[in-house]
Amino acid sequence: MLAPLRFTRRFACGLLLTLGLSPMGQAQSVAKADQAVFKPKFIKQQMLKTTQWQLAHPKHKVTDWTNGAFYSGVFAAYQTTKSKLILDSLMAMGERTKWMPDRRYDHADDIAICQTYLNLYRLKKDRRMIEPTIAVVNKFRREPGPETQQHNIAWWWCDALFMGPPVLVKLGVIQNQPAYFSTNDSLYQQTYKLLYNQQEHLFTRDAGYLWNEAGEGRKESNGKQVFWSRGNGWVMGGLVQILQELPKDHPTRSFYVELFKQMSARLIQLQQPDGLWRSSLLDPAAYPGGEASGSGFDCYAMAWGINNGVLDKATYLPAVQKAWISLNKCVSAEGRVGWVQPIGADPRRDFSADSWEVYGTGAYLLAGSEVIKLK
């Protein structure tokens, strides 16, 4: 546990998150600082700084799922800032990869990067930017692959609902092909029926975390069922991108809206006093450090919900504000987003202000792209 007297800027995020402290005792000075993080100029500066830092510190294969999430945020940063530097970086990335997904045609992780290709195509209208995506999605729709053969379901882990659905839905809009919407609906429903807990209104990570009828299965240290913040955050982010694309009159749109509302209502109950969510949603004490990537996606999703009239502003705005304030305490002076849970099905080891991953930056950028629109 960090010592309270060592409350420097570098450790501010860690101290608040680890101890669960509220800054209410410093209401006047902190309130002034809090107001600053909502100014459009500040948000754009932070988005540029964090994007540039992350681009200068690559960590994984460009077409990896981690970068699929990161570049989704980078595109949102371009939309917000209109930075030529960011757009040039996005185009350079696509040229380096030859606009290809990763190697597994049937694995949602390996098509996540295609979200960015499709977004860039809408700007440039160059068909070669999306032809590999069309080819891999069509193969995926035609030929059940190893993932389905092994798990009897294509999207067998909840994070896949951020990776795969936005690609199918975006492509359906671009190609004016409702068949892609139908494919997404079918696959999404399979995952929903398997992993969505109707009592908790949360997704389990995969079938290995499900309880049997006797209540037997993996439990947290407090005896509760395991629901990871990051996976549920990724589901929320994926829902936003689906709802941004699906036509208003699409027959299944109401399902996604209702799911989004249910999850938002549950997540707001699980937000911690400092504004962030913990890795374990139902056992926050198990991993006391606030987790920035899941929290970033939740902040993004709830801000989008407010901005688009899906969520009640009076109810959700305080939660979004608290989250955005705390997320900015997780950004170092040079632009590194810290307090990000490492790669893995679960947080096998604890993490700190120095823990960063590219998807943490992506989540932060997505959050900023919606927070800046709040009225």
Side-chain angles (χ1 to χ4, degrees):
M1 183 173 288
L2 300 174
L5 293 178
R6 297 178 63 195
F7 195 81
T8 62
R9 173 174 175 79
R10 182 167 183 259
F11 294 112
C13 178
L15 186 58
L16 284 175
L17 305 184
T18 303
L19 300 181
L21 295 180
S22 168
M24 297 306 290
Q26 308 172 43
Q28 290 185 344
S29 60
V30 173
K32 184 177 179 181
D34 289 350
Q35 291 172 9
V37 305
F38 293 97
K39 293 181 187 256
K41 181 178 180 181
F42 173 86
I43 294 174
K44 290 180 181 180
Q45 288 174 341
Q46 286 288 91
M47 293 177 82
L48 284 167
K49 182 167 70 173
T50 53
T51 299
Q52 289 173 322
W53 187 91
Q54 195 62 77
L55 287 170
H57 295 82
K59 200 171 185 179
H60 307 286
K61 184 179 180 182
V62 177
T63 50
D64 187 66
W65 64 270
T66 55
N67 279 311
F70 169 55
Y71 278 105
S72 180
V74 175
F75 186 81
Y78 166 70
Q79 288 181 305
T80 302
T81 65
K82 301 302 180 188
S83 164
K84 186 176 184 301
L85 182 150
I86 292 179
L87 180 58
D88 288 348
S89 297
L90 286 163
M91 292 299 297
M93 179 275 291
E95 295 297 343
R96 284 200 311 276
T97 64
K98 301 188 187 320
W99 309 99
M100 293 292 293
D102 213 338
R103 57 188 178 81
R104 297 171 295 183
Y105 80 92
D106 67 326
H107 201 297
D109 282 0
D110 289 9
I111 65 168
I113 192 66
C114 298
Q115 294 179 26
T116 300
Y117 301 157
L118 295 168
N119 288 335
L120 289 169
Y121 167 77
R122 284 172 159 162
L123 294 179
K124 301 296 184 180
K125 305 299 183 187
D126 183 345
R127 290 289 295 184
R128 71 189 178 88
M129 299 163 81
I130 62 169
E131 285 171 355
T133 299
I134 294 170
V136 77
V137 168
N138 285 341
K139 183 177 182 181
F140 173 60
R141 295 178 65 224
R142 279 193 322 266
E143 303 176 25
E147 295 305 313
T148 301
Q149 293 165 11
Q150 182 177 349
H151 300 279
N152 295 316
I153 185 173
W155 297 335
W156 52 268
W157 72 112
C158 72
D159 311 55
L161 298 181
F162 174 82
M163 317 291 187
V167 175
L168 289 174
V169 178
K170 285 176 190 290
L171 193 57
V173 173
I174 289 170
Q175 294 285 88
N176 192 24
Q177 287 286 347
Y180 290 112
F181 303 154
S182 299
T183 299
N184 176 69
D185 289 340
S186 175
L187 297 177
Y188 203 107
Q189 283 290 335
Q190 292 175 23
T191 307
Y192 170 80
K193 290 172 182 174
L194 179 66
L195 301 181
Y196 189 62
N197 186 293
Q198 295 290 347
Q199 287 72 47
E200 293 291 348
H201 290 168
L202 298 168
F203 280 85
T204 54
R205 196 267 176 183
D206 57 54
Y209 288 88
L210 296 173
W211 283 7
N212 63 23
E213 291 182 1
E216 299 167 336
R218 296 188 192 184
K219 292 180 172 66
E220 289 288 14
S221 56
N222 63 1
K224 294 189 177 181
Q225 195 166 352
V226 180
F227 296 99
W228 299 124
S229 170
R230 191 171 74 191
N232 280 277
W234 288 55
V235 173
M236 290 289 285
L239 282 167
V240 168
Q241 301 211 24
I242 292 170
L243 291 169
Q244 284 175 329
E245 301 287 346
L246 272 185
K248 299 294 185 187
D249 60 352
H250 187 65
T252 64
R253 183 180 176 86
S254 60
F255 162 78
Y256 298 106
V257 171
E258 180 59 26
L259 178 60
F260 180 78
K261 288 180 175 180
Q262 282 187 1
M263 292 187 69
S264 296
R266 185 62 176 120
L267 286 166
I268 199 175
Q269 296 172 341
L270 300 170
Q271 186 181 30
Q272 297 302 298
D274 58 26
L276 300 187
W277 285 263
R278 301 300 184 263
S279 290
S280 175
L281 288 171
L282 302 189
D283 189 9
Y287 303 94
E291 204 286 304
S293 66
S295 297
F297 278 112
D298 289 339
C299 181
Y300 161 59
M302 291 182 190
W304 179 89
I306 295 168
N307 289 332
N308 289 272
V310 179
L311 298 179
D312 176 64
K313 183 176 180 180
T315 302
Y316 287 93
L317 183 59
V320 170
Q321 290 172 329
K322 286 198 303 181
W324 183 244
I325 290 164
S326 274
L327 284 168
N328 278 284
K329 290 173 181 171
C330 296
V331 179
S332 70
E334 66 269 28
R336 183 193 65 217
V337 179
W339 286 97
V340 178
Q341 182 179 312
I343 292 172
D346 56 64
R348 293 185 182 89
R349 57 189 174 87
D350 209 358
F351 44 96
S352 69
D354 295 324
S355 302
W356 61 272
E357 264 298 347
V358 296
Y359 48 78
T361 305
Y364 175 84
L365 293 171
L366 286 167
S369 73
E370 287 296 330
V371 169
I372 199 171
K373 299 173 188 173
L374 292 170
K375 302 298 183 186

